[in-house]
Amino acid sequence: MATETKEAQATLSAAYPRSARINARGAIEVGGCDLGQLARELGTPAYVVDEQDLRSRARAYLDAAQRVGLPEVAVAFAAKAFPCTAVLELFAAEGLWCDVASGGELALALAAGFPAQRVILHGNAKSRPELERALEAAIGLIVIDNFDEIARLGELVGRRSDGEQQRVLIRATPDVAGQTHAKISTGQADSKFGFALEDVPAAIEAVRATPGLQLRGLHAHIGSQILSLEPFGAIAEALAPFAPMPVWDLGGGLGVAYSADQQPPAISDHVATLAASAREQLGEHELLLLEPGRALVANGCVTIYTVESVKRNVSLYVAVDGGMSDNLRPMLYGARYEAALVERPGGECECVVAGKHCESGDIIVPHARLAEPRAGDILCTPATGAYTFAMANNYNGALRPPVIFCAEGTARVVCRRETEQDLLARDVR
Ligand code: LLP
């Protein structure tokens, strides 16, 4: 056993789920399930989730929040990162709150069992039906993004007969650059999200003047996949002119390791930094909210594929049975992933792991090192829990992959693979 563990540590980087190891057969396993066997039993492509990994990261957040003591820190899972009901149920059971960004995510969060009071609704273009649904469900907080929304929400709460007030936050654009990819940086001044800092006082006044709305505090989110703590400390500083407020929501954004060379800050340090900056900059408050998405789910999942062909066209192309339909991130953001053959991890053969879609840009890993790949091999890419299932699509008629939870050697499908009937299901004849 001891040698196996050592070998696993030598071969599998921090990008893999916590339980990932190389078993006696020399194959990668996750949650005690052999990925090669899993592929043969349940098919590929598939998202394989280490259930315990997700739980342990939720607990890392909650433990760190507990250590902060008072004022209370609550942790909301950003549902957009992995909007699979079973994932939401797991985090609801762990005691997290839930951040949703649309009516659809709101429906998922409620169906997964989050108490409505622990749900926070975001969005820069919330529709009337979305707001109505949020009021009807009596969710904890609505995060107001713009003046039109104050008017729309004011009108809707004005019609209520129960006299209940809706608690709201105001989203500010803090002018703190997230130091990340431009497409996922949200805190800069020229952004489609939130109120410009100079408009925040007028927004506060407008909300306070609206009967039926109760202003609880402010929110800012600076971006995603942020690998240093420094920009996080700056959020509270930017919001300080609006203190005191009972509630501060400082968003998500903590980065993760997609490959061996990336070293994200620890969850505990992330929480401690935000809590300390809130205490120093924002003075007395009742509640600090954090909204991690990626940091809770990215590393707990690997995607498994079958290699369909291997050929040399200058580069050695290893083509698999998935691609931009199950992981859009390499194409959208130039995101980097690792790859390994699950039954022969390691190896030095330089190759390009390509998807099956009709686009030259459908490359999953441009510089992979594999052990002599052959058609029929099972290949995995680790750290695919965040924004992959979430952004999966049916390009080229691809059937979106299942989600398989693995724990203690048992695998269970928690979201089935799409079928051709699903592709036809919306047709009206
Ligand atoms: N809170 C708010 C208001 C957000 O907009 C987001 C993410 C989060 C929390 C969670 O951020 P996280 O902890 O996951 O960084 N599709 C992109 C990421 C988009 C993030 C959108 N907002 C990607 O694949 O990298």
Side-chain angles (χ1 to χ4, degrees), residues 251-293:
L254 180 62
V256 303
Y258 282 101
S259 53
D261 58 316
Q262 287 179 317
Q263 276 160 348
I267 286 173
S268 53
D269 293 335
H270 181 227
V271 175
T273 299
L274 288 166
S277 67
R279 211 178 287 126
E280 279 160 29
Q281 305 283 339
L282 303 171
E284 285 210 12
H285 50 279
E286 289 169 25
L287 179 67
L288 172 64
L289 270 163
L290 310 181
E291 304 178 328

mmCIF file of all heavy atoms in Angstrom, residues 251-293:
data_model
loop_
_atom_site.group_PDB
_atom_site.id
_atom_site.type_symbol
_atom_site.label_atom_id
_atom_site.label_comp_id
_atom_site.label_asym_id
_atom_site.label_seq_id
_atom_site.Cartn_x
_atom_site.Cartn_y
_atom_site.Cartn_z
ATOM 1 N N GLY A 251 -17.946 37.840 -2.919
ATOM 2 C CA GLY A 251 -17.871 37.064 -4.161
ATOM 3 C C GLY A 251 -17.012 35.826 -4.067
ATOM 4 O O GLY A 251 -16.665 35.342 -2.997
ATOM 5 N N GLY A 252 -16.656 35.283 -5.244
ATOM 6 C CA GLY A 252 -15.831 34.082 -5.321
ATOM 7 C C GLY A 252 -14.518 34.430 -5.995
ATOM 8 O O GLY A 252 -14.013 35.528 -5.844
ATOM 9 N N GLY A 253 -13.970 33.485 -6.746
ATOM 10 C CA GLY A 253 -12.813 33.814 -7.576
ATOM 11 C C GLY A 253 -11.527 33.082 -7.274
ATOM 12 O O GLY A 253 -10.564 33.185 -8.046
ATOM 13 N N LEU A 254 -11.478 32.318 -6.160
ATOM 14 C CA LEU A 254 -10.215 31.642 -5.831
ATOM 15 C C LEU A 254 -9.834 30.648 -6.930
ATOM 16 O O LEU A 254 -10.648 29.835 -7.343
ATOM 17 C CB LEU A 254 -10.356 30.913 -4.485
ATOM 18 C CG LEU A 254 -9.116 30.155 -4.014
ATOM 19 C CD1 LEU A 254 -7.939 31.101 -3.792
ATOM 20 C CD2 LEU A 254 -9.417 29.374 -2.739
ATOM 21 N N GLY A 255 -8.593 30.728 -7.379
ATOM 22 C CA GLY A 255 -8.108 29.862 -8.450
ATOM 23 C C GLY A 255 -7.772 28.463 -7.947
ATOM 24 O O GLY A 255 -7.715 28.203 -6.745
ATOM 25 N N VAL A 256 -7.563 27.561 -8.887
ATOM 26 C CA VAL A 256 -7.205 26.176 -8.555
ATOM 27 C C VAL A 256 -6.026 25.742 -9.422
ATOM 28 O O VAL A 256 -5.687 26.413 -10.404
ATOM 29 C CB VAL A 256 -8.394 25.218 -8.820
ATOM 30 C CG1 VAL A 256 -9.623 25.642 -8.029
ATOM 31 C CG2 VAL A 256 -8.714 25.128 -10.306
ATOM 32 N N ALA A 257 -5.431 24.596 -9.078
ATOM 33 C CA ALA A 257 -4.324 24.054 -9.876
ATOM 34 C C ALA A 257 -4.891 23.216 -11.021
ATOM 35 O O ALA A 257 -5.541 22.202 -10.795
ATOM 36 C CB ALA A 257 -3.435 23.187 -8.989
ATOM 37 N N TYR A 258 -4.674 23.655 -12.249
ATOM 38 C CA TYR A 258 -5.045 22.843 -13.411
ATOM 39 C C TYR A 258 -3.873 21.984 -13.853
ATOM 40 O O TYR A 258 -4.033 21.055 -14.625
ATOM 41 C CB TYR A 258 -5.504 23.755 -14.558
ATOM 42 C CG TYR A 258 -6.923 24.260 -14.358
ATOM 43 C CD1 TYR A 258 -7.175 25.539 -13.882
ATOM 44 C CD2 TYR A 258 -8.015 23.437 -14.618
ATOM 45 C CE1 TYR A 258 -8.468 25.997 -13.684
ATOM 46 C CE2 TYR A 258 -9.314 23.872 -14.423
ATOM 47 C CZ TYR A 258 -9.543 25.145 -13.958
ATOM 48 O OH TYR A 258 -10.816 25.582 -13.752
ATOM 49 N N SER A 259 -2.674 22.364 -13.402
ATOM 50 C CA SER A 259 -1.490 21.587 -13.739
ATOM 51 C C SER A 259 -0.510 21.725 -12.587
ATOM 52 O O SER A 259 -0.713 22.553 -11.677
ATOM 53 C CB SER A 259 -0.877 22.109 -15.037
ATOM 54 O OG SER A 259 -0.665 23.499 -14.923
ATOM 55 N N ALA A 260 0.537 20.905 -12.648
ATOM 56 C CA ALA A 260 1.464 20.802 -11.525
ATOM 57 C C ALA A 260 2.108 22.141 -11.165
ATOM 58 O O ALA A 260 2.436 22.391 -10.008
ATOM 59 C CB ALA A 260 2.537 19.776 -11.863
ATOM 60 N N ASP A 261 2.263 23.043 -12.150
ATOM 61 C CA ASP A 261 3.006 24.279 -11.865
ATOM 62 C C ASP A 261 2.130 25.389 -11.258
ATOM 63 O O ASP A 261 2.643 26.438 -10.901
ATOM 64 C CB ASP A 261 3.659 24.790 -13.162
ATOM 65 C CG ASP A 261 2.632 25.038 -14.251
ATOM 66 O OD1 ASP A 261 1.741 24.180 -14.417
ATOM 67 O OD2 ASP A 261 2.704 26.095 -14.904
ATOM 68 N N GLN A 262 0.836 25.186 -11.148
ATOM 69 C CA GLN A 262 -0.001 26.243 -10.583
ATOM 70 C C GLN A 262 -0.201 26.010 -9.092
ATOM 71 O O GLN A 262 -0.569 24.917 -8.679
ATOM 72 C CB GLN A 262 -1.364 26.268 -11.290
ATOM 73 C CG GLN A 262 -1.256 26.824 -12.700
ATOM 74 C CD GLN A 262 -2.607 26.838 -13.405
ATOM 75 O OE1 GLN A 262 -3.358 25.882 -13.316
ATOM 76 N NE2 GLN A 262 -2.891 27.923 -14.107
ATOM 77 N N GLN A 263 0.063 27.053 -8.292
ATOM 78 C CA GLN A 263 -0.081 26.885 -6.842
ATOM 79 C C GLN A 263 -1.053 27.908 -6.276
ATOM 80 O O GLN A 263 -0.667 29.021 -5.939
ATOM 81 C CB GLN A 263 1.274 26.992 -6.168
ATOM 82 C CG GLN A 263 1.983 25.679 -6.219
ATOM 83 C CD GLN A 263 3.462 25.782 -6.013
ATOM 84 O OE1 GLN A 263 4.039 26.873 -6.037
ATOM 85 N NE2 GLN A 263 4.080 24.649 -5.823
ATOM 86 N N PRO A 264 -2.306 27.533 -6.194
ATOM 87 C CA PRO A 264 -3.296 28.466 -5.659
ATOM 88 C C PRO A 264 -3.155 28.621 -4.152
ATOM 89 O O PRO A 264 -2.642 27.716 -3.489
ATOM 90 C CB PRO A 264 -4.619 27.780 -5.997
ATOM 91 C CG PRO A 264 -4.297 26.335 -6.063
ATOM 92 C CD PRO A 264 -2.883 26.233 -6.543
ATOM 93 N N PRO A 265 -3.598 29.751 -3.615
ATOM 94 C CA PRO A 265 -3.618 29.891 -2.163
ATOM 95 C C PRO A 265 -4.545 28.842 -1.551
ATOM 96 O O PRO A 265 -5.466 28.363 -2.217
ATOM 97 C CB PRO A 265 -4.223 31.292 -1.949
ATOM 98 C CG PRO A 265 -4.125 31.996 -3.258
ATOM 99 C CD PRO A 265 -4.120 30.941 -4.315
ATOM 100 N N ALA A 266 -4.299 28.492 -0.291
ATOM 101 C CA ALA A 266 -5.161 27.514 0.392
ATOM 102 C C ALA A 266 -6.513 28.152 0.692
ATOM 103 O O ALA A 266 -6.598 29.372 0.901
ATOM 104 C CB ALA A 266 -4.501 27.069 1.694
ATOM 105 N N ILE A 267 -7.547 27.316 0.728
ATOM 106 C CA ILE A 267 -8.894 27.789 1.053
ATOM 107 C C ILE A 267 -8.886 28.541 2.384
ATOM 108 O O ILE A 267 -9.476 29.617 2.520
ATOM 109 C CB ILE A 267 -9.876 26.590 1.084
ATOM 110 C CG1 ILE A 267 -10.166 26.131 -0.363
ATOM 111 C CG2 ILE A 267 -11.159 26.919 1.836
ATOM 112 C CD1 ILE A 267 -10.975 24.857 -0.498
ATOM 113 N N SER A 268 -8.168 27.994 3.372
ATOM 114 C CA SER A 268 -8.155 28.636 4.703
ATOM 115 C C SER A 268 -7.555 30.037 4.630
ATOM 116 O O SER A 268 -8.030 30.968 5.277
ATOM 117 C CB SER A 268 -7.387 27.776 5.701
ATOM 118 O OG SER A 268 -6.106 27.490 5.168
ATOM 119 N N ASP A 269 -6.518 30.208 3.802
ATOM 120 C CA ASP A 269 -5.892 31.540 3.674
ATOM 121 C C ASP A 269 -6.811 32.508 2.938
ATOM 122 O O ASP A 269 -6.841 33.698 3.232
ATOM 123 C CB ASP A 269 -4.547 31.441 2.940
ATOM 124 C CG ASP A 269 -3.530 30.681 3.765
ATOM 125 O OD1 ASP A 269 -3.673 30.660 5.003
ATOM 126 O OD2 ASP A 269 -2.605 30.091 3.176
ATOM 127 N N HIS A 270 -7.542 31.971 1.968
ATOM 128 C CA HIS A 270 -8.503 32.802 1.228
ATOM 129 C C HIS A 270 -9.556 33.356 2.178
ATOM 130 O O HIS A 270 -9.828 34.565 2.211
ATOM 131 C CB HIS A 270 -9.153 31.941 0.137
ATOM 132 C CG HIS A 270 -10.137 32.653 -0.722
ATOM 133 N ND1 HIS A 270 -11.364 32.127 -1.024
ATOM 134 C CD2 HIS A 270 -10.094 33.860 -1.318
ATOM 135 C CE1 HIS A 270 -12.033 32.976 -1.785
ATOM 136 N NE2 HIS A 270 -11.274 34.028 -1.985
ATOM 137 N N VAL A 271 -10.122 32.474 2.988
ATOM 138 C CA VAL A 271 -11.165 32.893 3.931
ATOM 139 C C VAL A 271 -10.587 33.880 4.943
ATOM 140 O O VAL A 271 -11.181 34.928 5.216
ATOM 141 C CB VAL A 271 -11.784 31.667 4.644
ATOM 142 C CG1 VAL A 271 -12.778 32.101 5.713
ATOM 143 C CG2 VAL A 271 -12.457 30.747 3.631
ATOM 144 N N ALA A 272 -9.398 33.553 5.473
ATOM 145 C CA ALA A 272 -8.806 34.418 6.499
ATOM 146 C C ALA A 272 -8.513 35.805 5.938
ATOM 147 O O ALA A 272 -8.728 36.825 6.605
ATOM 148 C CB ALA A 272 -7.533 33.768 7.048
ATOM 149 N N THR A 273 -8.017 35.862 4.691
ATOM 150 C CA THR A 273 -7.689 37.159 4.076
ATOM 151 C C THR A 273 -8.939 38.019 3.917
ATOM 152 O O THR A 273 -8.952 39.203 4.248
ATOM 153 C CB THR A 273 -7.064 36.936 2.667
ATOM 154 O OG1 THR A 273 -5.888 36.182 2.831
ATOM 155 C CG2 THR A 273 -6.742 38.244 1.977
ATOM 156 N N LEU A 274 -10.008 37.387 3.408
ATOM 157 C CA LEU A 274 -11.232 38.160 3.195
ATOM 158 C C LEU A 274 -11.830 38.611 4.525
ATOM 159 O O LEU A 274 -12.272 39.761 4.666
ATOM 160 C CB LEU A 274 -12.239 37.333 2.392
ATOM 161 C CG LEU A 274 -11.855 37.172 0.915
ATOM 162 C CD1 LEU A 274 -12.684 36.087 0.262
ATOM 163 C CD2 LEU A 274 -12.030 38.490 0.164
ATOM 164 N N ALA A 275 -11.818 37.711 5.509
ATOM 165 C CA ALA A 275 -12.409 38.068 6.802
ATOM 166 C C ALA A 275 -11.608 39.182 7.470
ATOM 167 O O ALA A 275 -12.187 40.127 8.018
ATOM 168 C CB ALA A 275 -12.474 36.841 7.697
ATOM 169 N N ALA A 276 -10.283 39.087 7.382
ATOM 170 C CA ALA A 276 -9.456 40.125 8.013
ATOM 171 C C ALA A 276 -9.656 41.458 7.316
ATOM 172 O O ALA A 276 -9.782 42.506 7.971
ATOM 173 C CB ALA A 276 -7.983 39.705 7.978
ATOM 174 N N SER A 277 -9.700 41.435 5.991
ATOM 175 C CA SER A 277 -9.860 42.712 5.282
ATOM 176 C C SER A 277 -11.242 43.300 5.558
ATOM 177 O O SER A 277 -11.400 44.513 5.695
ATOM 178 C CB SER A 277 -9.623 42.542 3.774
ATOM 179 O OG SER A 277 -10.637 41.746 3.207
ATOM 180 N N ALA A 278 -12.249 42.451 5.701
ATOM 181 C CA ALA A 278 -13.592 42.955 6.017
ATOM 182 C C ALA A 278 -13.589 43.599 7.400
ATOM 183 O O ALA A 278 -14.132 44.688 7.602
ATOM 184 C CB ALA A 278 -14.610 41.826 5.952
ATOM 185 N N ARG A 279 -12.945 42.919 8.340
ATOM 186 C CA ARG A 279 -12.917 43.459 9.704
ATOM 187 C C ARG A 279 -12.187 44.805 9.738
ATOM 188 O O ARG A 279 -12.657 45.769 10.320
ATOM 189 C CB ARG A 279 -12.230 42.456 10.625
ATOM 190 C CG ARG A 279 -12.779 42.501 12.032
ATOM 191 C CD ARG A 279 -12.138 41.469 12.935
ATOM 192 N NE ARG A 279 -12.559 40.112 12.670
ATOM 193 C CZ ARG A 279 -11.719 39.088 12.428
ATOM 194 N NH1 ARG A 279 -10.416 39.282 12.368
ATOM 195 N NH2 ARG A 279 -12.182 37.887 12.248
ATOM 196 N N GLU A 280 -11.054 44.846 9.046
ATOM 197 C CA GLU A 280 -10.244 46.083 9.083
ATOM 198 C C GLU A 280 -10.895 47.226 8.326
ATOM 199 O O GLU A 280 -10.895 48.359 8.770
ATOM 200 C CB GLU A 280 -8.872 45.821 8.444
ATOM 201 C CG GLU A 280 -7.904 45.158 9.380
ATOM 202 C CD GLU A 280 -6.776 44.481 8.600
ATOM 203 O OE1 GLU A 280 -6.443 44.953 7.488
ATOM 204 O OE2 GLU A 280 -6.257 43.459 9.100
ATOM 205 N N GLN A 281 -11.405 46.907 7.115
ATOM 206 C CA GLN A 281 -11.853 47.979 6.226
ATOM 207 C C GLN A 281 -13.324 48.336 6.397
ATOM 208 O O GLN A 281 -13.724 49.454 6.108
ATOM 209 C CB GLN A 281 -11.645 47.568 4.754
ATOM 210 C CG GLN A 281 -10.241 47.167 4.402
ATOM 211 C CD GLN A 281 -9.339 48.383 4.252
ATOM 212 O OE1 GLN A 281 -9.812 49.488 4.027
ATOM 213 N NE2 GLN A 281 -8.055 48.169 4.396
ATOM 214 N N LEU A 282 -14.125 47.355 6.809
ATOM 215 C CA LEU A 282 -15.577 47.576 6.753
ATOM 216 C C LEU A 282 -16.208 47.718 8.125
ATOM 217 O O LEU A 282 -17.405 47.951 8.245
ATOM 218 C CB LEU A 282 -16.242 46.421 5.975
ATOM 219 C CG LEU A 282 -15.685 46.226 4.548
ATOM 220 C CD1 LEU A 282 -16.226 44.942 3.915
ATOM 221 C CD2 LEU A 282 -16.039 47.422 3.676
ATOM 222 N N GLY A 283 -15.402 47.573 9.170
ATOM 223 C CA GLY A 283 -15.899 47.780 10.526
ATOM 224 C C GLY A 283 -16.909 46.724 10.934
ATOM 225 O O GLY A 283 -16.901 45.606 10.414
ATOM 226 N N GLU A 284 -17.768 47.085 11.861
ATOM 227 C CA GLU A 284 -18.724 46.114 12.404
ATOM 228 C C GLU A 284 -19.720 45.664 11.363
ATOM 229 O O GLU A 284 -20.228 46.483 10.606
ATOM 230 C CB GLU A 284 -19.479 46.752 13.563
ATOM 231 C CG GLU A 284 -18.634 46.840 14.794
ATOM 232 C CD GLU A 284 -19.458 46.768 16.060
ATOM 233 O OE1 GLU A 284 -20.652 46.421 15.987
ATOM 234 O OE2 GLU A 284 -18.883 47.084 17.109
ATOM 235 N N HIS A 285 -19.960 44.363 11.303
ATOM 236 C CA HIS A 285 -21.004 43.847 10.432
ATOM 237 C C HIS A 285 -21.523 42.540 11.029
ATOM 238 O O HIS A 285 -20.916 41.971 11.934
ATOM 239 C CB HIS A 285 -20.515 43.664 8.989
ATOM 240 C CG HIS A 285 -19.232 42.915 8.844
ATOM 241 N ND1 HIS A 285 -17.989 43.490 9.025
ATOM 242 C CD2 HIS A 285 -18.986 41.624 8.548
ATOM 243 C CE1 HIS A 285 -17.049 42.575 8.839
ATOM 244 N NE2 HIS A 285 -17.630 41.435 8.550
ATOM 245 N N GLU A 286 -22.664 42.076 10.492
ATOM 246 C CA GLU A 286 -23.272 40.861 11.037
ATOM 247 C C GLU A 286 -22.819 39.622 10.287
ATOM 248 O O GLU A 286 -22.696 38.548 10.842
ATOM 249 C CB GLU A 286 -24.811 40.918 10.902
ATOM 250 C CG GLU A 286 -25.474 41.901 11.815
ATOM 251 C CD GLU A 286 -26.941 42.103 11.440
ATOM 252 O OE1 GLU A 286 -27.552 41.197 10.826
ATOM 253 O OE2 GLU A 286 -27.469 43.185 11.751
ATOM 254 N N LEU A 287 -22.644 39.780 8.978
ATOM 255 C CA LEU A 287 -22.429 38.597 8.142
ATOM 256 C C LEU A 287 -21.507 38.920 6.973
ATOM 257 O O LEU A 287 -21.697 39.932 6.283
ATOM 258 C CB LEU A 287 -23.798 38.124 7.602
ATOM 259 C CG LEU A 287 -23.793 36.909 6.670
ATOM 260 C CD1 LEU A 287 -23.375 35.648 7.424
ATOM 261 C CD2 LEU A 287 -25.179 36.699 6.051
ATOM 262 N N LEU A 288 -20.530 38.035 6.771
ATOM 263 C CA LEU A 288 -19.680 38.115 5.579
ATOM 264 C C LEU A 288 -20.009 36.906 4.709
ATOM 265 O O LEU A 288 -19.933 35.764 5.181
ATOM 266 C CB LEU A 288 -18.203 38.077 5.986
ATOM 267 C CG LEU A 288 -17.198 37.967 4.837
ATOM 268 C CD1 LEU A 288 -17.245 39.194 3.932
ATOM 269 C CD2 LEU A 288 -15.777 37.782 5.373
ATOM 270 N N LEU A 289 -20.371 37.168 3.471
ATOM 271 C CA LEU A 289 -20.710 36.080 2.558
ATOM 272 C C LEU A 289 -19.588 35.857 1.553
ATOM 273 O O LEU A 289 -19.042 36.825 1.002
ATOM 274 C CB LEU A 289 -21.965 36.456 1.772
ATOM 275 C CG LEU A 289 -23.297 36.061 2.400
ATOM 276 C CD1 LEU A 289 -24.423 36.835 1.747
ATOM 277 C CD2 LEU A 289 -23.526 34.566 2.223
ATOM 278 N N LEU A 290 -19.259 34.598 1.286
ATOM 279 C CA LEU A 290 -18.287 34.258 0.241
ATOM 280 C C LEU A 290 -18.991 33.347 -0.753
ATOM 281 O O LEU A 290 -19.870 32.577 -0.379
ATOM 282 C CB LEU A 290 -17.083 33.538 0.841
ATOM 283 C CG LEU A 290 -16.428 34.208 2.044
ATOM 284 C CD1 LEU A 290 -15.237 33.400 2.512
ATOM 285 C CD2 LEU A 290 -15.990 35.634 1.700
ATOM 286 N N GLU A 291 -18.575 33.418 -2.004
ATOM 287 C CA GLU A 291 -19.283 32.666 -3.051
ATOM 288 C C GLU A 291 -18.342 31.854 -3.932
ATOM 289 O O GLU A 291 -18.248 32.085 -5.130
ATOM 290 C CB GLU A 291 -20.040 33.653 -3.954
ATOM 291 C CG GLU A 291 -20.990 34.555 -3.240
ATOM 292 C CD GLU A 291 -21.673 35.532 -4.177
ATOM 293 O OE1 GLU A 291 -21.057 35.949 -5.194
ATOM 294 O OE2 GLU A 291 -22.808 35.876 -3.913
ATOM 295 N N PRO A 292 -17.624 30.895 -3.359
ATOM 296 C CA PRO A 292 -16.722 30.103 -4.204
ATOM 297 C C PRO A 292 -17.480 29.166 -5.138
ATOM 298 O O PRO A 292 -18.506 28.606 -4.772
ATOM 299 C CB PRO A 292 -15.923 29.296 -3.178
ATOM 300 C CG PRO A 292 -16.824 29.176 -1.998
ATOM 301 C CD PRO A 292 -17.629 30.447 -1.962
ATOM 302 N N GLY A 293 -16.981 29.024 -6.341
ATOM 303 C CA GLY A 293 -17.523 28.063 -7.287
ATOM 304 C C GLY A 293 -16.417 27.084 -7.628
ATOM 305 O O GLY A 293 -16.338 25.965 -7.108
#
